[in-house]
């Protein structure tokens, strides 16, 4: 019985995020059918995994049950133990079906460099994203439980799942986050899932942290044939604000 409920909840999540798109045969985001315009979105990494992802043309897909924030996908407020178990089953069902890849709308926040790019020693990858990206909403209070919406599959259940997938506590708002939700398909030999670079998630920028020892040659080697399509530059701290900005003096990056 519990397994059947879990599968049903996974189907709700599937419909909430398929959105009428086709899926490719590899582990990629579904192709949009509506001619959606591209967004420039950014993904922070440490130096090792940043270079590795460029070389392999891919990003790691995060697992829903392994995220940093324990409130992720459990942001509903309820004292009911049975309801909490129900939402946990929803989370587990979604975890079985799909993962997520997180981006930011900007790369100039020093806190993000500190938290996600190894204290400014890593890199930030800028992507032209045409796949459906979901903007995260930041709130001060937890969501209302909607048990009636979860009783059966349909638009109300799908809307509630989407709300759960894209809501976080307001203290995370510095991330200015957008999310992609790829279906989990083929694991690589390490047991992980990856999202391949393609025309829906196309690498366009490589920004090297101001403390990073990554050289131009390192980036060029990792990019290989992609180099003509990608702008690479070094970051620095702004002189008059708490921003990270582009280092315009190219001689300071060897």
């Amino acid at each position: 019985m519990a397994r059947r409920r879990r599968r049903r909840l996974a189907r709700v999540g599937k419909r909430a995020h398929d959105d009428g798109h086709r899926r490719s045969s590899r582990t990629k985001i579904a192709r949009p059918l509506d001619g959606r315009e591209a967004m420039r979105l950014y993904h922070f990494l440490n130096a090792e995994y940043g270079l590795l992802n460029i070389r392999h043309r891919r990003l790691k897909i995060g697992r829903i049950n392994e995220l940093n924030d324990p409130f992720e996908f459990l942001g509903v407020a309820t004292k009911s133990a049975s309801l909490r178990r129900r939402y946990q089953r929803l989370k587990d069902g979604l975890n079985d079906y799909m993962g997520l890849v997180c981006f930011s709308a900007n790369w100039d926040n020093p806190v993000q460099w500190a938290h996600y790019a190894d204290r400014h020693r890593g890199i930030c990858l800028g992507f032209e994203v045409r796949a459906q990206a979901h903007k995260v909403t930041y709130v001060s209070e937890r969501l209302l439980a909607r048990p009636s919406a979860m009783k059966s599959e349909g638009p109300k259940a799908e809307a509630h799942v989407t709300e759960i997938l894209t809501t976080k506590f307001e203290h995370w708002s510095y991330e200015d986050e957008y999310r992609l939700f790829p279906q989990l398909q083929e694991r690589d030999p390490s047991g992980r899932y990856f999202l391949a670079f393609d025309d829906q998630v196309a690498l366009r920028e490589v920004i090297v942290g101001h403390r990073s020892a990554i050289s131009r040659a390192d980036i060029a080697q990792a990019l290989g044939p992609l180099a003509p399509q990608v702008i690479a530059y070094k970051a620095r701290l702004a002189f008059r604000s708490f921003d990270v900005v582009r280092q315009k003096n190219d001689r300071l990056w060897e």
Side-chain angles (χ1 to χ4, degrees):
M1 181 69 72
R3 185 174 296 178
R4 286 200 298 273
R5 285 197 299 264
R6 191 162 163 175
R7 284 199 296 264
R8 179 177 63 79
L9 291 168
R11 290 197 301 272
V12 172
K14 177 180 186 297
R15 272 193 279 273
H17 294 283
D18 279 353
D19 194 29
H21 298 344
R22 299 170 301 186
R23 294 196 178 276
S24 66
S25 60
R26 298 178 64 191
T27 305
K28 296 183 181 180
I29 287 294
R31 310 274 182 180
L33 303 177
D34 57 4
R36 187 179 294 110
E37 292 187 4
M39 298 179 64
R40 186 60 57 94
L41 298 176
Y42 297 91
H43 188 83
F44 296 85
L45 294 150
N46 67 25
E48 178 185 359
Y49 289 113
L51 290 173
L52 195 64
N53 284 353
I54 296 172
R55 292 191 192 103
H56 292 289
R57 316 297 198 244
R58 66 188 191 181
L59 292 174
K60 180 185 173 184
I61 297 173
R63 300 302 306 278
I64 288 172
N65 280 342
E66 299 174 2
L67 299 174
N68 291 334
D69 181 3
F71 286 102
E72 288 274 20
F73 305 91
L74 291 174
V76 172
T78 177
K79 293 183 178 180
S80 167
S82 62
L83 266 182
R84 290 197 300 272
R85 287 193 295 269
R86 191 169 184 177
Y87 280 100
Q88 182 62 59
R89 289 195 298 269
L90 169 62
K91 182 175 181 178
D92 293 340
L94 293 171
N95 182 71
D96 291 343
Y97 169 72
M98 65 186 182
L100 73 165
V101 181
C102 303
F103 298 87
S104 177
N106 66 77
W107 62 270
D108 60 2
N109 189 317
V111 181
Q112 294 208 84
W113 281 97
H115 289 178
Y116 303 122
D118 191 22
R119 292 171 290 172
H120 298 255
R121 295 180 296 193
I123 63 177
C124 180
L125 304 180
F127 291 89
E128 187 177 85
V129 177
R130 297 183 185 277
Q132 185 181 27
H134 297 261
K135 183 173 176 57
V136 171
T137 299
Y138 301 97
V139 297
S140 59
E141 297 182 357
R142 294 176 70 170
L143 299 172
L144 294 175
R146 303 184 191 279
S148 60
M150 304 303 294
K151 286 183 178 179
S152 61
E153 300 173 27
K156 289 184 179 179
E158 292 164 19
H160 189 41
V161 170
T162 300
E163 182 182 37
I164 291 168
L165 290 170
T166 58
T167 302
K168 294 185 71 171
F169 182 42
E170 63 184 358
H171 283 203
W172 294 94
S173 61
Y174 72 91
E175 294 179 336
D176 200 3
E177 185 179 348
Y178 283 79
R179 291 175 164 179
L180 304 182
F181 295 101
Q183 182 181 355
L184 301 176
Q185 294 184 4
E186 297 179 13
R187 296 176 186 262
D188 85 333
S190 72
R192 298 183 178 91
Y193 296 93
F194 290 91
L195 176 71
F197 297 177
D198 64 4
D199 60 331
Q200 300 301 300
V201 183
L203 183 63
R204 292 292 181 258
E205 293 178 67
V206 176
I207 307 162
V208 177
H210 85 101
R211 288 177 172 169
S212 179
I214 296 173
S215 68
R216 288 182 185 275
D218 293 331
I219 298 297
Q221 189 277 331
L223 285 171
L226 276 184
Q229 306 168 37
V230 179
I231 300 171
Y233 51 93
K234 184 92 169 183
R236 68 165 175 83
L237 303 183
F239 299 140
R240 301 178 67 182
S241 69
F242 289 109
D243 292 322
V244 179
V245 299
R246 179 172 179 169
Q247 173 57 264
K248 294 182 179 179
N249 187 345
D250 290 337
R251 293 175 296 178
L252 297 180
W253 184 32
E254 298 180 355

